[in-house]
Amino acid sequence: LTQDDMKRKAAWTALDYIPRHTIVGVGTGSTVNHFIDALASIKEDIEGAVSSSEQSTERLKALGIPVLDLNSIDSFAVYVDGADEINPDRHMIKGGGAALTREKIVAAVAETFICIVDESKEVPVLGHFPLPVEVIPMASSYVARELNKIGGRAVLRQGVVTDNGNQILDVHDLEIQHPIQLEAQINNIVGVVTNGIFAARAADIVLVGSQQGTKVYK
Ligand code: DER
């Protein structure tokens, strides 16, 4: 199986966790793109989707799935999204696709977060994947200096402006032994909009596409 095959297997397995006649929160990325294709196959059975990016919104609309405004909803059952890394506590690094802010917002509203990954995303400790941090453009150099002070090596992601008009710093060389603490610490740096540690609100169910099929853990 190729990595894409494993992503597709995890994405289609997520259908088993989608209650009918509900609103589904949809993340961003290549694994989620497979999930959107899967969701389209049951679109008559769902009320609609809440999207975490313009990229996902376009794909949902192209497949005839209604995209709803998060502000018109006070809760919904399931959010499905990928991750760049996930540890045994179901804490994630996300943001490889620069959608981390809206992903974190939609995930915060969802009752259940289902993470769909291929086996390459499973790590014992977060941090080998450079940690994305969304920053207000005028603060990018200041935030980079603050992140370097805590042991990272912050690099401005070239040529990327997020859906919210902000920039991304990718922080290399972190070994994240205490994700919940570091997530809060980085949030406190003035100028940071969102950081890609998803630990305070971790995934609830993880579907891992692997050579042996799809593993489920929660
Ligand atoms: O940017 C993101 O958070 C995406 O979910 C990313 O983490 C996963 O992207 P992939 O499914 O293309 O590997």
Side-chain angles (χ1 to χ4, degrees), residues 3 7 27-33 81-85 93-100 103 116 118 121 129 198:
Q3 183 182 24
K7 291 183 175 184
T28 298
S30 62
T31 311
V32 162
N33 286 344
D81 200 353
D84 295 300
E85 287 184 338
I93 283 186
K94 289 178 53 55
L100 64 162
E103 290 174 334
I116 51 175
D118 65 275
K121 308 299 184 63
F129 186 92
F198 282 52

